[in-house]
Amino acid sequence: MAKLLKDNSCCSASGNGTPTPGGDCIDDWKEKLKEVTNEYNLISAQTDRAEEVYRLAAAWEAKLNTWFANINAANEKALTVVEELGIFIAQVDILCRNSECTAEALELLLCQVKSLFDLFYTYPNQTPSGLKDLVVELKEQIDCLKDLSPTAKEEMLKCIADYEAKLAAVCGLQDAVLKKVVEALKCANLLHTSICSECGLKKYLEDLQTEFAGTPDSDERHAGCPPEESADTTPFPCDETAAKPEPVFPISESDYYKDTATQKDQAITKTQELKEAWLICRKNRDKILARKASLEEAIKAAESAESGK
């Protein structure tokens, strides 16, 4: 065995059968081991680098997937808000019609109550006279009757006095009744105006629905309504106290949504490419590692054989 190993006719550093002058198989194997070791160190470093790049790409892909999932969730919530606002606005429409009818009914009621109380009083150029004046005239006419006995007159005037007292009691209710009806009419008008006017709740709900469905022209929002306080225009995030940027609706049509979707798809493709490149490096590294291990085992076995151990 030792003679065989010292005979270098079967060994070649180039592997083409040409002996290496002044050497033997073990020396050749050691030279090859150095070359394979250097090659292994290089491919191992490349493999580690490929793995690191792949891991970073996979982490970036995971973040993009999370961000895109969150954007999609926000988009779904925005669509839900639009739907729910539509249902709410439909109910507000009913309330607007009811409040308008209520205000009209209370206005008619106020006119009728006022007309009813007006029957008791006499106003300039009014014909016939009011009920109170008619009662006074009736008392005067009864008092002027000559063919009635004093007792009969007294009985009639007594009945009229009782009626006049009840009439006065009814007239005394005028202020209280009219105030109640006017207050009810005021509340109905305020309710209708607060909900259904151009600056009312319905308009703001419609603007909010339009905002979530798709950003409207700011010049058309709340037309005729008091202007809102101007917001700080300092770019965010350069100034922490500045107003945060508002999202653009619909979110699925925004540049941020589209850019994130594009980056996510690109990241998936790139991550797969980097993973395949890493796997190829691993295979090449493992092949060279196997060659390196074979040479180490061969050299170890040869040296043991030469030493007789």
Side-chain angles (χ1 to χ4, degrees), residues 57-302:
W60 176 241
E61 178 191 339
K63 289 182 179 180
L64 286 171
N65 284 331
T66 301
W67 291 342
F68 190 71
N70 290 337
I71 298 171
N72 265 331
N75 184 58
E76 291 297 325
K77 290 182 184 296
L79 295 176
T80 300
V81 168
V82 173
E83 294 172 358
E84 293 298 325
L85 282 173
I87 296 173
F88 192 16
I89 290 172
Q91 297 299 317
V92 172
D93 278 332
I94 296 174
L95 182 58
C96 283
R97 290 194 294 270
N98 290 343
S99 63
E100 184 178 9
C101 291
T102 300
E104 291 175 355
L106 285 172
E107 188 173 352
L108 291 174
L109 177 62
L110 177 61
C111 291
Q112 291 176 353
V113 171
K114 180 65 170 60
S115 298
L116 178 62
F117 280 110
D118 284 346
L119 295 175
F120 296 100
Y121 301 94
T122 300
Y123 297 99
N125 301 322
Q126 177 179 328
T127 303
S129 301
L131 189 55
K132 289 180 70 175
D133 287 348
L134 290 175
V135 170
V136 172
E137 291 177 10
L138 178 60
K139 287 168 62 177
E140 292 176 351
Q141 291 174 3
I142 292 174
D143 191 49
C144 292
L145 292 175
K146 303 298 184 182
D147 55 348
L148 288 179
S149 64
T151 303
K153 285 184 179 182
E154 184 178 349
E155 287 296 328
M156 294 178 67
L157 291 173
K158 183 178 179 182
C159 291
I160 292 174
D162 186 46
Y163 176 75
E164 193 174 22
K166 292 179 180 179
L167 193 63
V170 173
C171 291
L173 296 174
Q174 176 178 259
D175 288 346
V177 172
L178 289 178
K179 283 181 180 178
K180 295 287 186 183
V181 178
V182 168
E183 187 65 26
L185 178 59
K186 177 184 175 182
C187 292
N189 283 328
L190 284 175
L191 177 64
H192 182 72
T193 302
S194 299
I195 296 176
C196 311
S197 70
E198 282 299 314
C199 298
L201 175 62
K202 180 183 175 182
K203 183 64 168 62
Y204 279 97
L205 289 174
E206 290 173 342
D207 285 346
L208 187 61
Q209 185 185 42
T210 304
E211 183 80 23
F212 275 92
T215 304
D217 187 343
S218 59
D219 294 337
E220 297 179 0
R221 298 183 60 193
H222 308 302
C225 298
E228 298 179 357
E229 293 183 3
S230 58
D232 189 346
T233 57
T234 305
F236 176 82
C238 298
D239 184 357
E240 295 180 355
T241 62
K244 307 301 183 289
E246 294 184 1
V248 177
F249 295 99
I251 295 176
S252 59
E253 298 299 323
S254 67
D255 291 340
Y256 179 72
Y257 182 95
K258 294 177 181 178
D259 290 345
T260 304
T262 301
Q263 290 184 45
K264 177 180 72 69
D265 294 339
Q266 291 175 345
I268 292 174
T269 302
K270 188 65 176 178
T271 300
Q272 185 60 32
E273 291 175 357
L274 292 172
K275 182 178 181 180
E276 292 173 0
W278 171 50
L279 292 176
I280 292 173
C281 286
R282 284 180 59 187
K283 290 178 182 178
N284 292 334
R285 182 196 63 185
D286 291 345
K287 287 180 182 179
I288 296 174
L289 179 62
R291 287 174 56 196
K292 178 173 177 290
S294 297
L295 285 170
E296 289 174 341
E297 289 296 326
I299 292 171
K300 181 178 179 182

Side-chain angles (χ1 to χ4, degrees), residues 8-27:
N8 65 1
S9 61
C10 62
C11 300
S12 172
S14 59
N16 56 9
T18 304
T20 303
D24 54 32
C25 288
I26 296 179
D27 292 335

